[in-house]
Amino acid sequence: MPATLRHPGTVLTDHVFPVPLDHDRPDGELIEVYAREVVAAGREREELPWLLFLQGGPGSGSPRPVGQADWLAAALRHYRVLLLDQRGTGRSTPANRQSLAARGTPPRQAEYLAHFRADAIVRDAEVVRERLLGRDGRWSTLGQSFGGFCTLAYLSRAPHALREAFVTGGLPGLRVSADDVYRAAYPRVAAKNAAHYTRYPQDVEAVRRIAAHLAEHEVRLPDGSPLTVERFQYLGMLLGQGSGSHVLHYLLEGAWIRGASGPELSDAFLAGVYGQVSLAANPLFAVLHEAAYAQRSVSTRGTGWAAQRLRGEFPAFDAERALRSGEPVLFSGEMIYPWMFGLDPALEPLAEAAHLLAERGDWPDLYDTERLAANEVPVYAAVYHDDMYVDRDHSLATARSVPHVRTWVTSAWEHDALRVSRGTVLERLIGMARGEV
């Protein structure tokens, strides 16, 4: 019997499902995917429709709810929710430096990791759906960020399984390459930097001072790994979140302490930086981030570390140049760079496998544009006007090319609105689906 426990206002039930590592070889190796069923207390026996939550990422486990937190309260008014730990994450069979060491050589690790993209996640979801709802059962989906990418892959592969789909900040470009993604992303990140420095003009000099110090001194984070200027710039990941600019400012204002030999970066600051730049908790984000954009019909030469290759087209992100010229040092955004695998202890053992994945050119297509052009599943999508992580224009182009996609474009929220809006964003989409908005 599945394990069940009670939280304030909710009943949680554990589910574990064996699935093929390679769904095209169902008799081959099996892995496990874990999912947590959540229902409002007192409604356990009701025949509620199911809502599958597809987490952002890639590489992040599903939320660990305490009661009806965040968007969950809105969802539980209408659905029985399934929080899926996508393969490789959370309580599903893990994929990290520790587990992958058993795979042996980097080529074997890379071959294994190639089975952890959105297309495989969707096929896992289909195994789960048939086990819980039966072959003819249908459910709704809620895809946040990368979960929206999974949603479009789901509509491409098994639209018959979906009653409706909700997407928040995650309508992907259907035929855009990794180069297209990052060529559009760098200007958005630059705009977020400009907005931050307008809000906190004192941070211009604060960031320059820290960057200059890192350029001249060896600084170590709490895990012993080096904090370089480029790694410091990765704090720009915060700028795409609703409160991220403020979090960044408060981190910067506590950067310095007077030690025995003069000013030095404080332990508290370094601990805060470590919490933002370490990928120990979700290494798949680094390993598979660019692979999320790789499709054979778009490019057969691999992603080739697109963010790194294209960075030279945007010299404003060159910290050394900025320090020489007196310009503001810009933070980077949701970019993964090959040097990260030489600095982060959680990534270093995966460096060779990651390079092989970056060079891989035979990725299957994630999206079936012909099937999507005939889509009949209602899709309700929140598109954030100033989204730093997912390009608004790519999202709207997809919405125009896929029938029955209805968008709500808003500048009132940032990319993390599903989590921080206390259900407002999800209620809006559900209202659209019900004809109330």
Side-chain angles (χ1 to χ4, degrees):
M1 289 290 292
T4 298
L5 60 87
R6 291 183 175 271
H7 274 191
T10 59
V11 177
L12 313 177
T13 303
D14 294 340
H15 298 278
V16 177
F17 306 89
V19 299
L21 170 66
D22 182 351
H23 283 275
D24 290 331
R25 299 176 58 193
D27 297 329
E29 178 181 354
L30 296 178
I31 60 174
E32 289 184 342
V33 294
Y34 167 83
R36 177 177 280 113
E37 175 187 343
V38 187
V39 65
R43 306 188 71 185
E44 303 95 307
R45 299 185 183 280
E46 291 186 32
E47 292 293 328
L48 295 167
W50 285 80
L51 177 72
L52 170 68
F53 180 65
L54 296 166
Q55 172 68 294
S60 299
S62 213
R64 268 47 186 168
V66 178
Q68 298 190 20
D70 302 330
W71 56 268
L72 197 54
L76 292 176
R77 283 194 281 273
H78 308 276
Y79 300 97
R80 183 183 302 268
V81 176
L82 192 70
L83 302 173
L84 176 68
D85 278 351
Q86 296 164 11
R87 53 170 52 200
T89 75
R91 289 175 60 182
S92 296
T93 300
N96 55 35
R97 66 172 180 84
Q98 295 163 301
S99 65
L100 288 166
R103 292 280 154 185
T105 65
R108 290 181 177 176
Q109 294 174 1
E111 187 58 37
Y112 180 78
L113 289 166
H115 297 294
F116 284 74
R117 297 199 310 158
D119 45 357
I121 293 168
V122 166
R123 297 179 79 170
D124 291 345
E126 276 297 273
V127 172
V128 173
R129 179 186 63 84
E130 291 191 11
R131 284 279 302 276
L132 292 178
L133 283 74
R135 182 177 297 273
D136 298 326
R138 294 193 302 157
W139 56 10
S140 304
T141 61
L142 169 59
Q144 159 65 15
S145 191
F146 172 73
F149 294 23
C150 295
T151 301
L152 270 292
Y154 213 146
L155 291 168
S156 296
R157 180 171 291 278
H160 61 275
L162 304 184
R163 176 181 285 109
E164 62 196 352
F166 304 102
V167 174
T168 54
L171 283 181
L174 300 179
R175 284 293 177 262
V176 299
S177 67
D179 284 27
D180 298 328
V181 167
Y182 291 107
R183 194 166 276 121
Y186 276 111
R188 297 199 309 275
V189 177
K192 292 294 186 184
N193 274 270
H196 175 79
Y197 285 138
T198 298
R199 181 179 296 114
Y200 294 112
Q202 65 271 42
D203 283 1
V204 174
E205 185 54 37
V207 171
R208 285 179 52 80
R209 182 186 178 195
I210 295 169
H213 180 81
L214 294 174
E216 297 172 2
H217 299 83
E218 182 181 282
V219 176
R220 298 277 170 173
L221 293 175
D223 66 343
S225 64
L227 177 59
T228 63
V229 176
E230 292 79 10
R231 204 173 182 195
F232 171 59
Q233 288 177 280
Y234 188 61
L235 289 175
M237 273 286 286
L238 286 166
L239 295 177
Q241 302 171 24
S243 61
S245 174
H246 310 301
V247 172
L248 177 59
H249 169 71
Y250 289 135
L251 181 60
L252 295 171
E253 73 175 9
W256 297 96
I257 193 169
R258 180 164 293 280
S261 58
E264 59 184 85
L265 293 172
S266 71
D267 286 347
F269 171 73
L270 295 175
V273 171
Y274 173 75
Q276 297 296 332
V277 305
S278 170
L279 290 170
N282 54 343
L284 287 182
F285 179 77
V287 174
L288 294 176
H289 191 263
E290 290 196 359
Y293 304 111
Q295 301 187 82
R296 187 183 299 115
S297 64
V298 176
S299 174
T300 58
R301 62 181 178 85
T303 60
W305 298 113
Q308 181 70 38
R309 286 189 293 100
L310 293 178
R311 186 164 173 150
E313 297 181 14
F314 303 92
F317 288 90
D318 184 337
E320 183 179 343
R321 172 183 173 275
L323 289 172
R324 288 197 312 267
S325 66
E327 298 173 4
V329 173
L330 298 191
F331 293 98
S332 57
E334 195 182 39
M335 287 77 169
I336 297 297
Y337 301 107
W339 54 258
M340 292 177 169
F341 291 83
L343 299 181
D344 191 329
L347 300 181
E348 188 173 5
L350 305 178
E352 290 186 57
H355 283 294
L356 291 172
L357 291 172
E359 295 168 359
R360 183 171 182 145
D362 62 346
W363 293 105
D365 284 347
L366 294 166
Y367 313 117
D368 184 332
T369 53
E370 291 186 7
R371 176 168 278 181
L372 290 172
N375 175 61
E376 296 183 353
V377 178
V379 180
Y380 306 93
V383 177
Y384 306 118
H385 190 274
D386 298 315
D387 197 324
M388 190 181 82
Y389 305 118
V390 178
D391 187 74
R392 177 198 64 221
D393 293 337
H394 291 166
S395 294
L396 294 180
T398 294
R400 289 191 296 269
S401 63
V402 180
H404 301 288
V405 174
R406 185 177 174 191
T407 59
W408 168 43
V409 184
T410 177
S411 59
W413 299 100
E414 293 281 359
H415 187 81
D416 58 348
L418 177 67
R419 178 177 58 85
V420 303
S421 69
R422 299 185 179 182
T424 299
V425 167
L426 181 56
E427 283 286 16
R428 169 84 182 216
L429 297 182
I430 293 174
M432 290 167 62
R434 305 296 185 265
E436 299 165 359
V437 176

